[in-house]
Structures are given as structure tokens and as C-alpha cells.
Amino acid sequence: MLTPLRLVTPRLIVRLAEPGDVDGIVRFFSENREHLAESRPLMGPEFFTAGFWAAQVRANLAEFRDGRSVRLFFFDAERPERVVGNCNFTQIFRSPAYYCVLGYGLAREYEGRGLMREALEPALKYMFTEQNMHRIEANYIPRNERSGRLLRRLGFTVEGFARDYLLLNGKWEDHIRTSLTNPEWREV
């Protein structure tokens, strides 16, 4: 059995969601529907239901157990039932690539406080040390300058430009492609 993944920072608890978190997840996505829409695929009405998220939490835990993804939610340390953001490490490839793709989002009311960096630093460390990733890719829409600054502060390097890279909110969006490599990667 895998040890539960729980990363604690001064202001956040970063962990895998559990069945008891469904209401908080629905609240997070519902309250931030418009705020997050531009950076996500179209979210139909079912996305904002407890039924959808109950199934998704089970699927996320199964993917984690199978080593296919690590989908984390950020909880306010002072109000641990309050979901304030999330990050997903998906498309995990092992040998010979040892890489994955990072995506993330934060509640509008929590922006500008350094919380995303606070959450991502230990999450990236976990992916490098415990999941033994060599490379993590993160891509952002060029007009999302805040995301670009965050990735640079985390050490990501710009690798290029991808035209019409993802279909987000019903529109093809260009992306700036970045990556971070693990200088301490070890062969297993």
C-alpha cells in the first residue's frame, strides 16, 4: 500500500483528494468557474457536481496507485476543508523518458500571495525524488504573464512556442513550452 501523499507548507496542505473532499472540490471549481475557464477544456454542467467529483477522486487515486498521474489539491492550512488550488502531474512516462506534464490552478481570491509557488516547490521536489522524474514540462498561454513569471522563478526554462497547442474553453490556444530537469536524477 502506498503511503498517503501529504505535503505541508506554512500556509497550505498539498495532498491527494479523498472522498470526504468532494464538496470542497465542487465549491472550488464552482466559485472559480469563470476564473479558470480560459485555461481549461470546456467544463460541462456535470463537472460541477458531487457525483462527477466522487468518481473523479476514485479515478485519481487509482491513477496514483498505478503510477499514471499525481493529482494534488491545495487546502488552506487554517481552514483545512477549504480547497484553494490544484496541480496535476499527468502523462507520466517512465523509461526511457522519465517525464511528465504539469498543470495548475489557483482560486482567484488567493492569487498574488505566493501560494502557487509555495505549493509547487514541494510538489516538484516530490516528483523528482519520490517519482524519479527527470523532466517536468509546463506550458502556458502567452498572455498569462503571471504563470510565465512563476515558472521562471521555479527554474523552468523556455523551450519554444507551440501554435494552436491546446483546445481550451472552446478555442485553440498557443502556448509557451517550458521544462525543468532534475540534476539529481538516478537510474533505478
Side-chain angles (χ1 to χ4, degrees), residues 110-163:
Y110 285 82
E111 285 188 328
R113 301 181 195 177
L115 288 171
M116 184 59 75
R117 183 176 181 180
E118 184 175 320
L120 288 180
E121 284 176 341
L124 291 165
K125 181 178 179 183
Y126 169 84
M127 292 305 292
F128 282 154
T129 59
E130 301 300 318
Q131 293 287 328
N132 198 34
M133 292 290 102
H134 173 256
R135 173 187 172 88
I136 298 173
E137 295 182 9
N139 308 307
Y140 66 95
I141 298 170
R143 66 182 170 277
N144 189 346
E145 295 173 9
R146 174 176 267 156
S147 191
R149 286 190 305 271
L150 168 71
L151 292 170
R152 283 190 297 278
R153 283 193 306 269
L154 289 169
F156 281 77
T157 301
V158 172
E159 294 186 326
F161 182 84
R163 190 174 66 81

Side-chain angles (χ1 to χ4, degrees), residues 32-46:
N32 292 282
R33 186 178 202 154
E34 289 180 28
H35 171 61
L36 297 174
E38 188 174 287
S39 62
R40 298 191 54 86
L42 283 175
M43 299 173 285
E46 72 284 347

Side-chain angles (χ1 to χ4, degrees), residues 15 17-29 48-58 73 75 81 83:
R15 63 175 175 79
E18 299 168 356
D21 299 321
V22 167
D23 290 342
I25 294 169
V26 171
R27 187 177 313 108
F28 165 70
F29 282 114
F48 302 94
T49 66
F52 174 86
W53 278 101
Q56 192 62 51
V57 165
R58 287 191 303 275
F73 284 89
F75 298 82
E81 74 289 348
V83 176

Side-chain angles (χ1 to χ4, degrees), residues 69-133:
S69 74
V70 177
R71 297 175 185 268
L72 303 170
F73 284 89
F74 315 155
F75 298 82
D76 186 322
E78 292 182 5
R79 297 186 298 166
E81 74 289 348
R82 179 92 170 141
V83 176
V84 301
N86 72 319
C87 69
N88 298 310
F89 296 92
T90 60
Q91 301 177 45
I92 293 177
F93 288 90
R94 305 291 173 183
S95 181
Y98 297 97
Y99 82 89
C100 63
V101 177
L102 166 65
Y104 47 85
L106 190 66
R108 178 183 301 275
E109 70 179 279
Y110 285 82
E111 285 188 328
R113 301 181 195 177
L115 288 171
M116 184 59 75
R117 183 176 181 180
E118 184 175 320
L120 288 180
E121 284 176 341
L124 291 165
K125 181 178 179 183
Y126 169 84
M127 292 305 292
F128 282 154
T129 59
E130 301 300 318
Q131 293 287 328
N132 198 34
M133 292 290 102

